[in-house]
Amino acid sequence: MVITYIDDVWKITRLDLMHNHELHPPGEARFLRSHKKMTLEERMIIRTCNACKIPTRKIMAILAYYRGGLKELPYTKKDVSNVRTTIRKESTQNDMMKVLAYFLNKKEKDPMFFYSIDSDEEGRVRNIFWSDGYSRKLYADCGDCVSFDTTYITNRYNLPFAPIVGITSHGDNCLFGCAFLQNETIETFVWLFRTLLVCMGGKEPKSIITDQDAAMRMAIKEVFTRTNHRNCLFHIMKKAQEKAVRTFSTTPNFHDDLMDTVHNSVTVAEFERLWTEMIVKYNVEDITYFKIIWANRWRFVPAYFKQNFYPFIQTTARIEGTNAIFKDNVSCTYSAKLSSGYLFELQAAKLYNRSIFLKFQKQVIKLTLFNVEETVEKRSYSVYKSHNHAQKEFRTRRYVVSLNLPTSDYSCICCKFQKGGLLCSHVLKVLVHLNITELHEKYFIDRWRPKKTEVNRNADNNIPAEFTGDSCEMRFNILSRRMTETASKGSKKTAKYLYLLKKMDKIDRKLEMIGNDTVEPTLQTEGADSLSNVQVDSSEATQLIDPLVGKPKGRPTDKMKAPATHNTETAAFSKGRMKSIVEQRKTRGRIRCGHCGEFDHNKQTCKTLHIQYEATGTRNKKGMKKQGGQKRSAEGGGMLTTSDVSVGNTQMKWQLTYHTGVQGQC
């Protein structure tokens, strides 16, 4: 239809009522701009769900439930996401001021909550660290071994996320604190580790395990002067396989020999002897990465850390599982099942918590695989596996166990007790051989025992004292539960309802009379006097500026785009991290045909080259989806194909007729 302005009047000068394209199916009309409609109530639901941090896909499921199914929604997931973006932009505060407000709110609810924000002279934030009260209590008990890494970069500012992870008394992961760092330099790590010491009352960890980052190593050496530092064994061995792919693929048994030498060497002397023999045996003296491993062997090989406390940990893999669930200590004696009749297993069931008892029980079961030979009468014994039990091992080893019976001192060359706080199966085998079935209590260290929790309760209402102290959140939870029960009783009858309303009015007036002038006591924590030097007080804080987009380490990929200005909120980076050649080969998909989209053949060998891919209906082009089908004639000499294909929001019908040996036509 053409409308023309003639003599101050709009007139229709041309009208063609014939459609020049197919109409949308009734089921797709709801996606047209004129048909899209989101009610005010639905926007309020999105606002509520957004405040509760519910993902967009779940919000779509909630809205679809109200409408009667996803097919009834007149908008898409992108429309809901746009509404959420609009809601987030309503706040006048920038991201860092929101973070500060969140920290101050957490500080009110949890007096032991600690945070530190590092900013420059202009107020631009560089680093952030925080830890809650429960994490600080855990560090006081379990902060002797720490795992640290900066793996995740999942924020708009490209800041490395640095969780600090430890091991609980049950052998599970626990989170001591978290940080966002501007970069991964020595100065930044020094700031983080010093802030951690201030937060934890100056307590240094006995041992820490990280990757091979040189800046981390220098910062740990400067701040944690009494801490033993170890590198992640997994990353080093994984990189060895990537750097020497051809060597491993062309040299039989070299991989097994390398793993056995590194993982199972009992002493430093054994490791160095086996490594030297292995290098010569497989003729790999000229490979550079093996020279690097040898030069840095004292930083990651387990034989060099036998006397250091690294319980159940040789890698930074615990960083991958920071979603730890904190559970109450429950005595394992409630449900412990003994696997033997030895008295030391019953001792362990009583003195260890359940998780550690199960680990000790594995050592008890394992001792049945070993044999014992006495080398020095009642002083030294050799423990080894029989020929049948050692068939699957690369090489058979003998473990030397030394005893001092009068003082009940037992030691094994594997040093499992020094590393993890549990006696090994070799020592237990010798004790069984000597008919000693009871252990001295010094071999059940406090680290793995159930924690004794004494709850101080208020004499008036039998409520734990910590719930009636400084924790506003705890008091609110208790009052909410009591009020809900009272409201449920009062709503049964009108008389109860009216009576409860009158009492509530009196309670409100009484609460207003009490006032808020009473100064409540504060919870003192170790090192609290030094917190004021690093925390940002709301009364003194200037306007914080969002940090600059961080630059990741290493050579950037071709798809990486640098931010245009310092004020750029987002930067476009290529999806995923840079992968090695080995990883690319492992994750590489099957061969896909460029014509029909099927697997296991290419375009040159495709059997449907005479058919345009739109007609085959098999190619997965973006925005194109097969709707119809195709029928082949019984004679096989020709085919009549009819396919409905939707491109974007438009449906088209393709019809193709061809004869054998002749190119098809649309």
Side-chain angles (χ1 to χ4, degrees):
M1 182 173 62
V2 178
I3 303 177
T4 307
Y5 189 69
I6 302 175
D7 298 333
D8 298 331
V9 178
W10 290 98
K11 296 182 178 181
I12 299 176
T13 56
R14 192 174 67 197
L15 178 63
D16 187 359
L17 298 179
M18 296 297 296
H19 286 284
N20 58 0
H21 61 83
E22 294 286 342
L23 293 177
H24 278 285
E28 295 183 359
R30 58 195 174 95
F31 295 118
L32 295 175
R33 182 177 298 180
S34 59
H35 289 62
K36 284 187 177 182
K37 183 179 180 182
M38 185 180 295
T39 64
L40 178 61
E41 290 75 16
E42 288 175 322
R43 291 181 178 272
M44 295 302 295
I45 292 175
I46 296 175
R47 184 178 295 273
T48 303
C49 294
N50 182 71
C52 297
K53 310 298 182 184
I54 298 177
T56 304
R57 56 183 177 82
K58 292 188 177 181
I59 297 178
M60 283 288 293
I62 295 172
L63 297 173
Y65 177 79
Y66 287 127
R67 287 269 188 173
L70 284 174
K71 293 183 178 180
E72 302 299 326
L73 283 178
Y75 42 80
T76 63
K77 182 179 177 181
K78 183 62 177 177
D79 298 321
V80 176
S81 179
N82 291 339
V83 174
R84 299 188 70 182
T85 302
T86 304
I87 294 172
R88 286 193 291 267
K89 289 182 178 180
E90 291 177 355
S91 176
T92 58
Q93 290 183 326
N94 61 7
D95 291 340
M96 292 302 103
M97 293 305 295
K98 292 179 183 177
V99 169
L100 179 59
Y102 175 79
F103 284 165
L104 293 175
N105 184 43
K106 292 288 291 184
K107 185 70 176 176
E108 291 180 2
K109 297 179 180 179
D110 181 6
M112 288 190 64
F113 182 83
F114 175 90
Y115 69 93
S116 178
I117 300 178
D118 177 39
S119 59
D120 57 17
E121 295 80 3
E122 299 178 355
R124 187 178 301 279
V125 173
R126 294 179 296 197
N127 308 299
I128 305 173
F129 172 84
W130 71 95
S131 176
D132 60 14
Y134 186 70
S135 297
R136 298 176 73 181
K137 291 179 181 178
L138 276 175
Y139 186 89
D141 296 332
C142 311
D144 42 14
C145 183
V146 170
S147 178
F148 177 71
D149 197 5
T150 55
T151 305
Y152 310 101
I153 305 178
T154 56
N155 52 85
R156 68 166 59 184
Y157 302 105
N158 202 33
L159 302 181
F161 177 63
I164 302 173
V165 177
I167 303 172
T168 68
S169 298
H170 291 263
D172 299 323
N173 292 351
C174 63
L175 194 61
F176 294 143
C178 300
F180 282 111
L181 307 177
Q182 179 64 37
N183 49 48
E184 296 178 87
T185 61
I186 298 177
E187 294 77 12
T188 300
F189 287 129
V190 167
W191 176 88
L192 174 61
F193 295 147
R194 286 178 177 171
T195 305
L196 177 66
L197 287 181
V198 174
C199 174
M200 303 303 177
K203 178 181 177 180
E204 292 187 19
K206 294 181 181 179
S207 53
I208 185 171
I209 184 168
T210 68
D211 58 15
Q212 291 179 283
D213 189 272
M216 282 187 197
R217 183 170 66 251
M218 297 301 295
I220 291 172
K221 185 177 181 181
E222 179 178 344
V223 180
F224 299 146
T225 56
R226 299 186 298 273
T227 301
N228 181 269
H229 181 206
R230 178 178 179 179
N231 290 143
C232 175
L233 177 62
F234 169 77
H235 287 93
I236 295 175
M237 301 309 296
K238 179 174 178 289
K239 192 178 294 184
Q241 299 176 43
E242 295 173 355
K243 297 285 187 180
V245 176
R246 180 171 297 179
T247 302
F248 285 108
S249 60
T250 58
T251 311
N253 299 328
F254 176 55
H255 178 270
D256 295 337
D257 199 344
L258 175 65
M259 293 301 170
D260 180 78
T261 301
V262 173
H263 288 273
N264 300 328
S265 293
V266 179
T267 63
V268 174
E270 181 189 10
F271 167 76
E272 295 181 350
R273 176 179 59 82
L274 293 178
W275 181 274
T276 305
E277 295 175 355
M278 178 187 66
I279 294 297
V280 176
K281 177 181 178 180
Y282 298 101
N283 193 25
V284 292
E285 302 97 325
D286 298 332
I287 297 181
T288 305
Y289 192 73
F290 291 130
K291 295 179 181 178
I292 297 175
I293 290 179
W294 175 255
N296 297 278
R297 61 191 182 279
W298 55 273
R299 290 178 179 162
F300 70 94
V301 176
Y304 290 87
F305 298 94
K306 294 197 305 178
Q307 302 294 334
N308 303 108
F309 190 70
Y310 286 96
F312 323 126
I313 184 172
Q314 293 191 108
T315 69
T316 56
R318 287 183 179 267
I319 292 290
E320 312 293 339
T322 55
N323 298 325
I325 300 176
F326 303 115
K327 299 180 179 179
D328 294 333
N329 258 334
V330 179
S331 176
C332 64
T333 57
Y334 298 153
S335 58
K337 295 182 180 180
L338 303 181
S339 61
S340 69
Y342 302 132
L343 185 58
F344 50 66
E345 187 180 7
L346 181 60
Q347 283 182 281
K350 294 179 179 179
L351 299 177
Y352 283 145
N353 61 59
R354 180 169 180 78
S355 299
I356 303 303
F357 168 72
L358 295 177
K359 295 180 182 296
F360 181 83
Q361 195 174 53
K362 291 181 180 179
Q363 298 298 318
V364 176
I365 298 173
K366 191 177 177 182
L367 68 85
T368 59
L369 304 176
F370 292 96
N371 297 328
V372 179
E373 287 183 2
E374 189 178 52
T375 55
V376 179
E377 185 178 0
K378 295 184 179 182
R379 296 285 298 178
S380 180
Y381 295 84
S382 177
V383 181
Y384 62 94
K385 287 185 178 181
S386 64
H387 176 72
N388 293 333
H389 290 146
Q391 284 184 350
K392 294 184 179 180
E393 296 185 354
F394 188 82
R395 57 171 57 91
T396 304
R397 286 182 170 81
R398 286 177 173 262
Y399 298 89
V400 179
V401 177
S402 301
L403 284 81
N404 188 344
L405 296 179
T407 59
S408 298
D409 290 335
Y410 318 130
S411 62
C412 179
I413 195 172
C414 72
C415 295
K416 183 175 181 63
F417 182 76
Q418 288 82 350
K419 289 189 296 183
L422 292 178
L423 281 179
C424 61
S425 56
H426 318 125
V427 172
L428 298 178
K429 181 64 178 181
V430 174
L431 295 180
V432 172
H433 177 73
L434 297 175
N435 293 324
I436 301 174
T437 59
E438 186 174 3
L439 296 176
H440 194 279
E441 280 213 0
K442 64 183 178 182
Y443 293 107
F444 301 96
I445 62 176
D446 294 337
R447 183 68 157 75
W448 306 133
R449 296 195 182 199
K451 302 303 178 187
K452 296 181 180 179
T453 56
E454 297 181 359
V455 179
N456 298 323
R457 295 183 177 272
N458 192 303
D460 298 332
N461 48 33
N462 197 33
I463 296 176
E466 61 177 320
F467 290 177
T468 59
D470 296 329
S471 179
C472 176
E473 187 175 16
M474 291 295 184
R475 294 193 295 250
F476 175 79
N477 292 338
I478 295 173
L479 290 174
S480 298
R481 183 174 179 180
R482 293 290 301 274
M483 292 294 185
T484 302
E485 295 174 355
T486 305
S488 178
K489 295 177 182 178
S491 62
K492 302 298 183 184
K493 294 183 179 181
T494 305
K496 293 182 178 181
Y497 166 71
L498 296 176
Y499 171 78
L500 186 57
L501 284 180
K502 292 181 180 180
K503 290 297 182 182
M504 290 181 66
D505 293 337
K506 292 182 179 180
I507 292 174
D508 288 339
R509 290 194 295 268
K510 184 65 175 178
L511 290 176
E512 293 178 359
M513 292 174 60
I514 294 176
N516 300 318
D517 298 332
T518 305
V519 179
E520 297 185 353
T522 57
L523 181 61
Q524 296 296 330
T525 59
E526 185 178 6
D529 294 339
S530 58
L531 301 187
S532 59
N533 296 328
V534 293
Q535 292 194 118
V536 180
D537 188 8
S538 60
S539 61
E540 300 177 359
T542 58
Q543 179 70 22
L544 295 177
I545 304 175
D546 292 340
L548 299 175
V549 177
K551 181 181 179 182
K553 297 191 302 182
R555 180 179 64 85
T557 59
D558 296 336
K559 296 181 181 180
M560 184 178 294
K561 300 178 182 179
T565 64
H566 293 311
N567 295 329
T568 303
E569 291 188 356
T570 59
F573 294 94
S574 59
K575 294 183 178 180
R577 57 182 176 82
M578 297 176 62
K579 296 183 179 180
S580 63
I581 297 177
V582 176
E583 286 185 290
Q584 292 176 7
R585 289 189 175 183
K586 287 182 179 180
T587 57
R588 185 179 298 168
R590 294 182 296 171
I591 298 175
R592 181 190 288 270
C593 177
H595 175 70
C596 68
E598 295 293 336
F599 291 100
D600 300 329
H601 68 271
N602 54 28
K603 190 173 182 179
Q604 295 179 350
T605 60
C606 183
K607 297 180 181 180
T608 59
L609 277 179
H610 54 284
I611 307 175
Q612 292 193 12
Y613 66 81
E614 290 88 349
T616 64
T618 56
R619 181 178 171 90
N620 266 338
K621 271 185 82 74
K622 184 177 181 181
M624 184 173 291
K625 181 179 179 183
K626 176 182 173 183
Q627 299 271 346
Q630 60 186 22
K631 296 182 180 179
R632 194 177 290 271
S633 64
E635 294 78 15
M639 180 175 69
L640 180 65
T641 301
T642 303
S643 298
D644 292 337
V645 182
S646 64
V647 182
N649 292 329
T650 306
Q651 259 201 355
M652 296 177 292
K653 182 172 291 186
W654 299 82
Q655 192 172 33
L656 171 67
T657 306
Y658 79 96
H659 302 281
T660 305
V662 181
Q663 288 287 343
Q665 298 178 350
C666 263

